[in-house]
Amino acid sequence: MSHPQWKSISIDTFQLSGDLDRESVPLLWLTLESWKTAESEVQVDLNQVNRIDSAGMVMLIHLIEHAKNQNCHIMLSFVPEQLRTLFQLSNIQPLMAKHLKD
C-alpha cells in the first residue's frame, strides 16, 4: 500500500509532503500504520510539508510510536515552524526533542 504524500528516498529516509491536516491524515495514516522497517533509525524529511495542523502532529506522534514498536527511532528533519509551535502549545516539546534533527 502506498500514498503520494509518503515517499521512500532511501532505505532509512522517507519524505512526507503536502498538507498534513484533518482532511489528509485519515487516508495517509492507513498507509503509515502498515509501514514496516528493519532499520534501527529512520529519518522523516518534512521539507515538502506545506501546512500541518494538530491532526498532522498527532499522526507524527503515532508514527513515532509505531516505529518504536518495531525497535526503530524516528528523527524528523526540516521540521516546519508551524509544527514546532504546535509542540510547544501542546506542551510536548520535551518529549519530541529527541526526535528533532536540527
Side-chain angles (χ1 to χ4, degrees):
M1 183 178 245
S2 67
H3 190 281
Q5 286 182 270
W6 175 251
K7 181 178 175 184
S8 176
I9 304 298
S10 68
I11 194 166
D12 63 351
T13 305
F14 294 83
Q15 183 178 64
L16 281 166
S17 62
D19 293 343
L20 302 181
D21 57 19
R22 63 186 178 92
E23 301 296 322
S24 64
V25 163
L27 283 176
L28 179 55
W29 180 246
L30 290 175
T31 297
L32 296 180
E33 72 179 345
S34 63
W35 171 69
K36 304 255 187 274
T37 185
E39 299 302 308
S40 61
E41 185 171 307
V42 166
Q43 179 175 310
V44 176
D45 179 338
L46 303 176
N47 195 37
Q48 298 298 314
V49 170
N50 299 327
R51 194 176 76 76
I52 188 164
D53 67 7
S54 59
M57 177 187 71
V58 170
M59 182 197 70
L60 288 173
I61 293 167
H62 283 293
L63 179 61
I64 288 169
E65 186 65 26
H66 178 64
K68 185 178 177 183
N69 290 337
Q70 298 178 66
N71 297 314
C72 176
H73 181 80
I74 286 190
M75 292 299 295
L76 302 174
S77 63
F78 302 104
V79 178
E81 195 57 40
Q82 193 175 29
L83 180 57
R84 290 180 188 272
T85 300
L86 285 170
F87 288 158
Q88 291 170 346
L89 292 173
S90 302
N91 210 19
I92 62 167
Q93 180 64 29
L95 297 172
M96 296 304 294
K98 64 183 174 201
H99 297 283
L100 303 179
K101 184 176 181 179
D102 292 319

